[in-house]
Amino acid sequence: RLSWSSAGEIGQKITVANLADICAMGGWPQYLLVSVGFPKSFIGNLEQLAQGICDEARKVGAKVIGGDLSTSEKLFISITAVGITERSIQRSGAQIGDLIQISHLPGWSAAGLAMLQSGVPKSAETEKALSAHKAPEIGYENYRNSFSMINSATDTSDGLLLDAQNIAEASGCQLAIDTNALKDMAGFSELARLAGNLSVDVMQWLLRGGEDHALLVTAKHPIPNFFVIGKVVAGSGVSLDGREIGQQELGFQHQW
């Protein structure tokens, strides 16, 4: 919503989403094609939107090489990201015995959305959540340094459980997640306090929130600067603390 986010934040956020998808396949972003349709009332925001896109692209050395601008009744923005890789990482590469690992604690973007919807008073914790939702930052170099060690990977754009399910389904195995390991991660206590202030179950944010763009991977050995949150085992789907999760419990799903 333009009432929540500046044009620069919107540009930065949609660029993160595209760059993270390239990284989730073991690639490094090179180029972006940007198409924007906009009502005439938005024309004053175009430069700020472009700046947000370019600032984020520069973090990985990517360049905007073209696209399209046109007027339209409503604002729409579409980015195509192009990258290169020496070894494509697939969701189908998970192996039984792999450790499930994640780059950073999910749930902060969902928390930020809840803050915006409820209008809670500002604090250091709420500002962190708002930033995670409106202008997410991810550790690109941390992702890049992990590529050689990863067997499978995905970007957690749709929520931890649903994206873990995607790996499990593609690899023909079960991803057994340990919620206690998630609770031991840096930032969990802050996130839990925010959830408590809104009478929300923090695990809903953490497991089903989405838009965190954390890198969820499986690998044979622990990866530096990643957090081990479970193990790949024989079976199918996703389990939490030994309990298999039903399809209806996974969270938001795209409809095609």
Side-chain angles (χ1 to χ4, degrees):
R1 295 186 187 182
L2 288 170
S3 60
W4 287 348
S5 302
S6 69
E9 288 173 331
I10 292 170
Q12 190 256 2
K13 180 172 182 173
I14 60 174
T15 306
V16 166
N18 281 270
L19 300 181
D21 276 342
I22 296 291
C23 291
M25 292 195 71
W28 198 246
Q30 301 290 301
Y31 308 110
L32 299 175
L33 295 163
V34 182
S35 295
V36 182
F38 57 93
K40 292 182 178 179
S41 60
F42 187 77
I43 195 166
N45 294 306
L46 284 177
E47 185 174 350
Q48 189 181 15
L49 176 71
Q51 192 66 57
I53 293 170
C54 289
D55 286 348
E56 191 64 26
R58 286 193 185 101
K59 294 179 182 179
V60 296
K63 297 179 180 180
V64 176
I65 60 170
D68 185 64
L69 292 175
S70 62
T71 57
S72 65
E73 291 186 6
K74 294 184 178 182
L75 175 66
F76 69 84
I77 307 164
S78 175
I79 293 182
T80 298
V82 180
I84 59 172
T85 181
E86 296 179 1
R87 180 179 70 92
S88 176
I89 299 172
Q90 306 287 324
R91 292 174 177 172
S92 57
Q95 302 173 14
I96 293 175
D98 276 0
L99 300 175
I100 305 167
Q101 302 174 61
I102 195 166
S103 60
H104 57 273
L105 184 71
W108 281 100
S109 180
L113 177 60
M115 301 297 111
L116 289 165
Q117 291 172 331
S118 61
V120 298
K122 290 186 178 182
S123 68
E125 292 169 349
T126 59
E127 285 299 308
K128 180 178 178 178
L130 291 172
S131 178
H133 182 72
K134 296 194 295 181
E137 294 186 5
I138 62 176
Y140 295 109
E141 288 297 333
N142 187 36
Y143 290 12
R144 191 179 201 177
N145 293 336
S146 72
F147 289 164
S148 64
M149 296 171 269
I150 293 173
N151 287 333
S152 67
T154 188
D155 164 49
T156 60
S157 56
D158 296 328
L160 176 57
L161 289 183
L162 186 56
D163 287 310
Q165 168 70 20
N166 290 335
I167 291 179
E169 185 175 335
S171 298
C173 59
Q174 183 178 109
L175 267 64
I177 296 173
D178 178 4
T179 58
N180 287 323
L182 290 166
K183 293 174 184 177
D184 287 339
M185 289 179 62
F188 176 81
S189 58
E190 297 172 84
L191 193 63
R193 280 196 296 272
L194 285 178
N197 291 340
L198 291 179
S199 300
V200 173
D201 179 1
V202 67
M203 298 307 290
Q204 288 293 322
W205 288 347
L206 201 154
L207 297 173
R208 301 175 177 86
E211 288 199 335
D212 291 291
H213 303 296
L215 191 61
L216 179 67
V217 310
T218 73
K220 186 175 181 180
H221 302 293
I223 300 172
N225 300 314
F226 275 65
F227 301 87
V228 176
I229 61 170
K231 196 170 185 178
V232 178
V233 299
S236 62
V238 178
S239 65
L240 284 177
D241 303 327
R243 183 180 71 85
E244 292 190 15
I245 298 298
Q247 197 73 23
Q248 72 281 0
E249 300 179 78
L250 293 173
F252 173 81
Q253 299 188 50
H254 293 292
Q255 300 297 319
W256 301 96

